[in-house]
Amino acid sequence: MKKTTLIIGILALLKLLIQLLGNRNYGFHRDELLHLSVSEHLDWGFMEFPPLIGAIGRLSDWFFEYSLIGTRLFPTLAGVAILMLCCLMAKELKANRLGVILAGVCVLAFVPFYRNHTLFQPVAFDQLFWTLGFYFIIRYFNTSHVKYLLLVGVALGFGLLNKYTMFIWAFGVFVGLIFHQKGQLLKDKWLYLSGGLALLIFLPNLIWQIQYDFPLVQHLQELNDSQLSDLGAFDFLLAQLELPITFGMSLLGIVYLWRSKAHRSIAIATITIFMTMWLLRAKAYYIFALYPILFAAGAAFLGHWLSTKIRVWQYVTVAAILLPMLPFIPDMTPILPIQQYVKYANIESEGVRYELTGDYADMFGWEEQVRLVDSVYRSLSPEERANCVIWAENYGEAGALKILGQQYDLPNPISRHGTFWTWGYDNPDAAVWISLGNEQEAVEYAFAETELVKIITHPYAIGEENGIPLYLCRQPKGDIAEWWAAYEAYVFE
C-alpha cells in the first residue's frame, strides 16, 4: 500500500514538474486574458461561460497578482488532481498495484492534457469535475454510502458553474443509472436530493441566464456557425484516433466496465456521453474529460492481464504507453524557449514572421500592444488623458489592456466583443479615443477625426493580431449609447 502511494506521488510530481516548466514561458493566451478580466467584474455569469473561472481568476490576483506561472498553477493543480483521482478510481475498480500505476501513466501519456492543464481556461476544471463525479459514483456503488451520492450532486453543481458541457455528463450518467440494479436507484430519494443539491448550486447562474435572455443560446449559435458546422461527420471520431495507444486503453476500459456487473452502468454512461458529443459534432477536446475514468478501468484490465506475464512485459508495457508521447510535449506546453521551439518544430520564417500553432501564436504580441498604447496615452496632454477612452476591437486586445495594462496604470479598456460589451462604453463624452485593432471602416464610421498612429506587427503573433491598426480618434459622429446598443446582436462575431 505504501509503495503504491509513493509511486502515485512520484507520477503526480512528474506531472507537476513538466507543467511548471511550460507554465513559465511565453505570455498569456488571449483566452487567459479574458478569464482574468472577468475576475475584475465578478458576477453569476458571463456571455461566453459560467462564473467559476472568474472566481478562480480572483484567487490568482489575490495570491499571485496575475503572474503567468501563478495563474497557470490552478489548471496545473487540477491536472495533478485528475492523475491522482485516476489512480484512486483504478484502485476502486479492483486494479492491482500495476493497474494503479498504469492509470497514472495513461494520464501522463495523454499529450492533450499538457495543453489543457497549462492554459487558464475552464477546460481543466471541467475535466476535474467529470472525474470527481465518476469517482464519487464508483465510491457509492462500492460502499452504498449516501454521502457519495450527495457529493456527486456537489460535483455536478460546481461543474455546471464552470462549463455547460457538464449537462452532457449528467445526461449520460442518468442514462447509465437506468441500468444499474434494474433502475432501483431511480427510486431512491437520495438521488433526487443529489440532483436538487446540484440545481441549488447552479441556480444563481440559471437566474443570470434568464435575466440576460440566455446569451448561452446566442453564443452556441455563433459557435456552430463559425466552427462546428464545418466539422465532418467523422471528424470527432478521427480526432480520437490520432492518439491510438491511449484510445486503445479507453476501449479496454469500456470492455472492463461492461464485464463488471457492479459498474456496467458506467460503461453505458460513457458510451452515451461519447455518442451524444459525436452527434452534436462537438469539438474533439470536449470529450477528453471522459478519458480518466476509461484510463482507470483500462489500466485495471491490463494490470490483471499482465500480472500473469513475466515482469519484463510489465516494464515494456509502461514504456510503450509513456515513451511515444515524449517528443510531442513541446507542442502541447511551452517547455522550450521560443527560438528553440521554432527549430524543434522546423518552422520556416515567412519574411519576418513565423507561423506558430494557434495556441502559441496567441501568447505573443500582447505586451507590445499594451506598451504602444501606453506610449500614445502618455503623449496626450494631462487634460486629454483625464478624458480619454481606450477602445479595443476584440477580447484578446481588451484583456491585454485590462490585465497587462495595470502595470502601466492605463484606464480600463472598452470593447464591443463578448462579455466586454456588457461592461459598457465608459465615458460617452470622452474627447480622445485610442482605438486598438479596429479597422479603418469602423473608426471612420464612428468618428469624424481619425489619425493612424501605427500598424502593429509581431514575428510570432497570430495572423489576426498582425498588421492591426492603432488610431487616435476624436469627434464622435453620433450618440455613443445608441452606437453601443446597436451592436448587441454582433458581440460574438
Side-chain angles (χ1 to χ4, degrees):
M1 176 61 182
K2 289 184 178 179
K3 186 175 181 180
T4 303
T5 302
L6 176 62
I7 294 174
I8 293 173
I10 292 172
L11 293 173
L13 181 61
L14 181 59
K15 167 76 171 173
L16 177 64
L17 291 176
I18 294 173
Q19 297 285 173
L20 290 179
L21 282 174
N23 290 358
R24 62 197 172 94
N25 283 331
Y26 307 172
F28 282 113
H29 188 280
R30 72 166 62 238
D31 290 351
E32 293 178 305
L33 293 168
L34 171 61
H35 299 141
L36 293 177
S37 295
V38 302
S39 72
E40 300 277 321
H41 298 265
L42 291 183
D43 202 345
W44 282 112
F46 303 103
M47 298 289 279
E48 300 92 343
F49 38 74
L52 187 61
I53 193 71
I56 300 173
R58 179 58 61 88
L59 292 177
S60 174
D61 183 27
W62 285 348
F63 290 118
F64 306 112
E65 296 184 342
Y66 295 141
S67 73
L68 184 66
I69 193 168
T71 297
R72 290 178 173 173
L73 180 62
F74 291 94
T76 288
L77 292 179
V80 172
I82 288 167
L83 184 148
M84 299 177 72
L85 283 167
C86 189
C87 293
L88 291 175
M89 286 191 295
K91 184 180 176 183
E92 290 292 326
L93 293 170
K94 312 304 180 187
N96 56 21
R97 179 187 296 170
L98 176 61
V100 173
I101 293 169
L102 284 172
V105 168
C106 284
V107 174
L108 279 178
F110 193 62
V111 288
F113 277 167
Y114 290 98
R115 176 199 183 276
N116 299 152
H117 304 155
T118 293
L119 297 179
F120 184 70
Q121 296 177 326
V123 176
F125 309 108
D126 187 47
Q127 294 166 357
L128 176 60
F129 287 122
W130 282 42
T131 306
L132 271 173
F134 278 123
Y135 173 70
F136 292 139
I137 289 171
I138 294 171
R139 287 289 288 163
Y140 175 73
F141 286 170
N142 289 350
T143 66
S144 297
H145 291 164
V146 296
K147 68 178 181 180
Y148 292 113
L149 205 54
L150 294 176
L151 286 172
V152 171
V154 173
L156 174 57
F158 280 101
L160 289 171
L161 289 180
N162 174 70
K163 195 171 175 65
Y164 296 120
T165 51
M166 200 78 189
F167 277 116
I168 298 177
W169 180 90
F171 170 71
V173 167
F174 182 80
V175 172
L177 292 180
I178 295 174
F179 298 91
H180 181 68
Q181 296 180 347
K182 299 180 179 180
Q184 287 299 310
L185 188 56
L186 300 182
K187 302 175 184 178
D188 192 331
K189 67 178 182 180
W190 290 102
L191 176 66
Y192 299 99
L193 287 172
S194 177
L197 182 58
L199 178 60
L200 184 64
I201 294 171
F202 174 63
L203 187 59
N205 180 245
L206 179 60
I207 294 172
W208 184 92
Q209 285 284 340
I210 294 171
Q211 290 175 333
Y212 284 82
D213 297 325
F214 287 95
L216 169 64
V217 176
Q218 183 184 354
H219 188 223
L220 289 177
Q221 184 60 52
E222 174 62 27
L223 183 65
N224 181 72
D225 293 343
S226 62
Q227 299 180 40
L228 303 183
S229 61
D230 295 331
L231 296 177
F234 293 97
D235 287 355
F236 180 79
L237 177 60
L238 292 175
Q240 314 306 317
L241 296 176
E242 291 177 1
L243 299 161
I245 295 176
T246 45
F247 186 69
M249 284 295 293
S250 69
L251 294 180
L252 286 180
I254 292 176
V255 172
Y256 184 80
L257 291 168
W258 190 269
R259 290 169 55 179
S260 168
K261 185 177 180 180
H263 302 111
R264 183 173 297 166
S265 60
I266 298 178
I268 295 171
T270 59
I271 293 170
T272 302
I273 292 168
F274 187 92
M275 294 305 297
T276 303
M277 288 280 198
W278 189 0
L279 289 172
L280 292 175
R281 295 194 179 185
K283 292 183 180 180
Y285 73 86
Y286 288 2
I287 202 65
F288 292 168
L290 192 62
Y291 279 97
I293 175 60
L294 298 179
F295 289 160
F301 183 109
L302 193 58
H304 286 302
W305 184 77
L306 286 171
S307 64
T308 63
K309 311 299 178 184
I310 59 175
R311 185 172 292 272
V312 68
W313 283 109
Q314 299 176 9
Y315 294 122
V316 168
T317 301
V318 171
I321 295 172
L322 192 59
L323 295 182
M325 68 85 185
L326 294 178
F328 300 100
I329 292 180
D331 287 323
M332 295 292 118
T333 188
I335 59 175
L336 298 177
I338 186 58
Q339 287 292 347
Q340 291 184 26
Y341 176 74
V342 166
K343 293 178 181 178
Y344 163 86
N346 196 28
I347 299 174
E348 299 291 335
S349 65
E350 300 176 359
V352 297
R353 290 199 63 232
Y354 294 86
E355 195 67 37
L356 301 180
T357 62
D359 281 330
Y360 285 177
D362 260 330
M363 297 179 188
F364 289 95
W366 310 116
E367 186 70 47
E368 290 77 8
Q369 289 181 14
V370 174
R371 282 203 299 265
L372 182 57
V373 169
D374 179 66
S375 69
V376 174
Y377 179 71
R378 300 300 163 192
S379 70
L380 301 175
S381 68
E383 293 77 14
E384 287 180 318
R385 287 201 299 270
N387 201 20
C388 174
V389 166
I390 302 176
W391 170 33
E393 191 273 335
N394 63 53
Y395 70 75
E397 296 154 1
L401 290 165
K402 189 171 185 66
I403 300 303
L404 303 180
Q406 292 182 7
Q407 61 185 307
Y408 299 95
D409 199 27
L410 286 172
N412 280 327
I414 67 168
S415 176
R416 299 185 298 173
H417 196 193
T419 287
F420 274 91
W421 178 86
T422 67
W423 299 332
Y425 44 81
D426 194 23
N427 179 10
D429 301 315
V432 180
W433 290 54
I434 300 175
S435 167
L436 174 64
N438 297 288
E439 297 297 332
Q440 180 179 359
E441 181 181 3
V443 296
E444 290 183 350
Y445 174 84
F447 297 93
E449 181 182 331
T450 62
E451 174 191 349
L452 178 63
V453 177
K454 187 173 183 179
I455 299 294
I456 305 172
T457 60
H458 192 284
Y460 300 120
I462 198 166
E464 181 183 347
E465 298 299 329
N466 256 291
I468 64 169
L470 180 68
Y471 282 94
L472 263 178
C473 307
R474 294 178 171 87
Q475 300 179 24
K477 288 182 177 180
D479 183 88
I480 294 297
E482 292 180 1
W483 169 71
W484 197 265
Y487 204 75
E488 182 175 5
Y490 309 100
V491 295
F492 291 120
E493 294 185 358

